[in-house]
Amino acid sequence: MKKTLSLLLAFLMLLSAVCSVGLSAFAEELRYFERGVLTDGTNTAYYIIDKDNKVLYITGDGNNLAYTPDYPSAAEGPFAGRTDVTRIVIEEDVAKIGDYALSNMTKVDTLEVQSNLLSSSSSMSSKAMIGCTGLRHIQGDSALLSTDVFLEVVKGALNVASGNWLSLIKNGFSIISTGVNGDDTLDNETVHCMVDDYINNGEKIFLGDLEQAKTEYNERLANPCYSNNAFHHDYSSSVTMQPTCTADGETTYVCSVCENIYTEPIDALGHDYVASVLYQPSCFTEGITKYSCTRCNKASYEAIDAYGHHTYDTLSYDAQADAYTEICAVCNDRNTQFDNDISALVAAADMAENIEAADYTSDSYQLMDSAAQRYYPLEEGDYLQYPQDKVDERVAEILTAIDELVPYLNLSLSYSPGGSATVTIDGETTLAGKRQTVFGTEVTLQAMPANGSTFLGWYEKTTKRYLSDEETYTFPMTSNTDVLARFTTAADATLSFVCLDGQIKSYVNKTVEEWNDVTSVAALLPEVPYSYGHTNGRWEYSNAAVLSALRNGEDVSIIAVYDEKETQTYPKPVASDGLPSVTLYYEYDGDANVGNFIMMGDIPQGCDYEEIGIAFYYKKAASFNPSSMRLTLNNKMVTSRFDMLYDDGQYVVNFKRMSAATNYAARGYVSYYDENGDLKVVYTNQINVVNLQNIS
């Protein structure tokens, strides 16, 4: 059977369906061939699987003999494990089937050999069909079969040692095994006689029972046509059934000596097709070729592959949508690509990718991660089909998820001499030290003065800002917090140095006796703190008056004094919907090497705010790109909080001794309670400082 005929026979069943369902069905129903190449670079063969008829064809390219490669094992054969093939046809231009090339195809029951593969052990490997345990029929020309190869292929396919029953058909007759059980003790002469007798005479014989085999062999010796371990019939032939396009014919052979009769099929003629194109293919729609048989008028149809791409040769522009539309010359497809900017989307996805899951609650991190993973990593050209507002929506989705992360925040508690302190979080009380908890968790601090000591109050340890004078102080965690409980004895007196905004710059705590030994306050003076909008900072005090009060056990505060200077005026944002509104600005004072971060805020009346502050994050410039991060309260940053709501809505933090070797990021924030009583945070814009310049 020729390769072309093998390809076309499978299409015959389509004709009636084509007539009833129309063109739209062709593209789907024509896809029932699988084609491929078996090659290792040196040996090459081709295969075609007719899925409708479950037939695997092994063939050449029409010009050269085909040689399949050898494969390492039965499990690694190219068709191992397939159950959609029941028949294998090896066409006449196949010269070699290698190791395991057809292995482990358990549903195959028929092997048809049209070449001389089985005539030489160098042509078809005895391992070729290992594991084809369903094999029951081998068909081929007697002249092409060699006993040795024939037996080895069969034994390999069915693994005879496992006791499988073997039923093979050759020219309509069977060889049947009744329990070989891997018995290789049959002498070769007897086996050869049996198989030669089978090939020449076509009668049933039995393998596996040596005594029965010999008995039947002796019976055959009595046949007048049997000599020299082979039958020598004198056959005459006649065609008893003419072949048609699809049906085999038959030749009958009759021995004039013993009247033995056998028949051989005459291959069906196959259709003689003439091809014509019914429908031309398009970009992504298959075309159809019709094949009409000149002998029987049967028709077959074959898909013509679609081009697989559009050919755009026209470009139009919609100025209102700021969009380009490409038009395909083949199918008139219109493809719109928007001239958008996805840099913010790339940056947002990168920010999310660099956030550590361990710093947040799992629920909030999963929400953020799922929002970001859909867009990471992005490449040039991604999302061009979306208009800019849709890209911006995706940016907002990721950044909102980042802002809504619920972080774990650090609390550090310490105390001065004269007492101790505890912290209670989620019902667990511990002594001063470091604790970690989730944003919004209620924290209770308890000050415990020692005998003879007085609790002065709770202070931020870093900024020395006053927080509360209540011994039991409860507040929600809204940022990283470092708290100091201050105590003093009745005999102590404290000299505090206070900034213009009320922040304590530093303080000195001594007993009255120790103050009596101090003759000048000047030696205790700290550096006058920098104050935005002011110059000529100084401590103004009366040395005698200060020492007199301290020696009498009175606390004294010396407040820094400045001269005002003109500063830039920044607009104040306007709150809406009852929510705080804040905006951050940056000025660098090169003379003082101070970075001024000015936050303008509008806190609406009735807004239940908890904390107002500015957050900072900074690292060496070589390892920190501020524009690639989203600064929130979860970045382990330094926080500068404000004592009260400023009437003018201006909040200023001075970042001293800034360096061009360090990059900085800053954002203002307000934590407040929403209408449901949940603690929320609203942020300003982010200020990114590189080489002391704002690059935001």
Side-chain angles (χ1 to χ4, degrees), residues 399-579:
L399 296 184
T400 298
I402 292 176
D403 281 346
E404 292 180 352
L405 285 167
V406 179
Y408 292 105
L409 299 175
N410 296 323
L411 172 69
S412 180
L413 174 62
S414 58
Y415 50 84
S416 65
S420 60
T422 62
V423 56
T424 301
I425 299 176
D426 293 332
E428 181 182 356
T429 301
T430 58
L431 294 174
K434 293 184 178 181
R435 294 282 297 275
Q436 187 180 68
T437 189
V438 175
F439 172 86
T441 300
E442 188 174 88
V443 174
T444 299
L445 304 180
Q446 181 67 50
M448 296 173 289
N451 291 332
S453 295
T454 301
F455 176 62
L456 293 178
W458 302 100
Y459 292 82
E460 281 190 337
K461 187 173 183 180
T462 302
T463 64
K464 300 182 177 61
R465 288 185 185 274
Y466 167 78
L467 300 175
S468 173
D469 62 358
E470 297 178 355
E471 288 189 1
T472 301
Y473 175 40
T474 299
F475 61 93
M477 282 289 289
T478 57
S479 61
N480 296 322
T481 304
D482 193 349
V483 183
L484 171 68
R486 286 185 56 197
F487 300 92
T488 184
T489 64
D492 288 347
T494 301
L495 173 60
S496 299
F497 298 92
V498 183
C499 301
L500 192 61
D501 61 359
Q503 176 186 356
I504 297 175
K505 168 64 178 176
S506 63
Y507 56 86
V508 180
N509 195 48
K510 294 180 180 291
T511 65
V512 170
E513 289 77 10
E514 290 172 331
W515 283 121
N516 283 321
D517 294 333
V518 177
T519 59
S520 174
V521 176
L524 303 176
L525 296 177
E527 178 185 353
V528 180
Y530 178 91
S531 178
Y532 175 72
H534 300 88
T535 186
N536 191 26
R538 57 202 181 275
W539 302 110
E540 289 188 355
Y541 62 96
S542 166
N543 187 68
V546 170
L547 289 177
S548 175
L550 293 170
R551 290 166 181 170
N552 288 326
E554 301 174 14
D555 294 334
V556 177
S557 295
I558 299 177
I559 300 175
V561 178
Y562 301 86
D563 298 329
E564 291 190 4
K565 70 176 182 179
E566 185 177 353
T567 58
Q568 183 174 346
T569 301
Y570 293 100
K572 180 179 178 180
V574 178
S576 62
D577 299 327
L579 302 179

Side-chain angles (χ1 to χ4, degrees), residues 104 149 192 231 252 256 293 386 397 421 489 562 567 598 640 661 668:
N104 284 358
V149 179
H192 284 205
F231 284 100
T252 300
S256 60
C293 180
Y386 293 114
E397 178 187 5
T489 64
Y562 301 86
T567 58
I598 305 102
S640 178

Side-chain angles (χ1 to χ4, degrees), residues 359 408-410 436 480 617 632-638:
D359 291 338
Y408 292 105
L409 299 175
N410 296 323
Q436 187 180 68
N480 296 322
Y617 187 91
T632 56
L633 290 175
N634 47 55
N635 294 119
K636 308 299 184 186
M637 74 299 173
V638 176

Side-chain angles (χ1 to χ4, degrees), residues 439 478 608-611 669-673 679-682:
F439 172 86
T478 57
D608 187 8
Y609 72 92
E610 176 66 34
E611 183 177 301
Y669 67 93
V670 178
S671 59
Y672 67 97
Y673 296 92
L679 193 60
K680 302 290 185 180
V681 178
V682 62

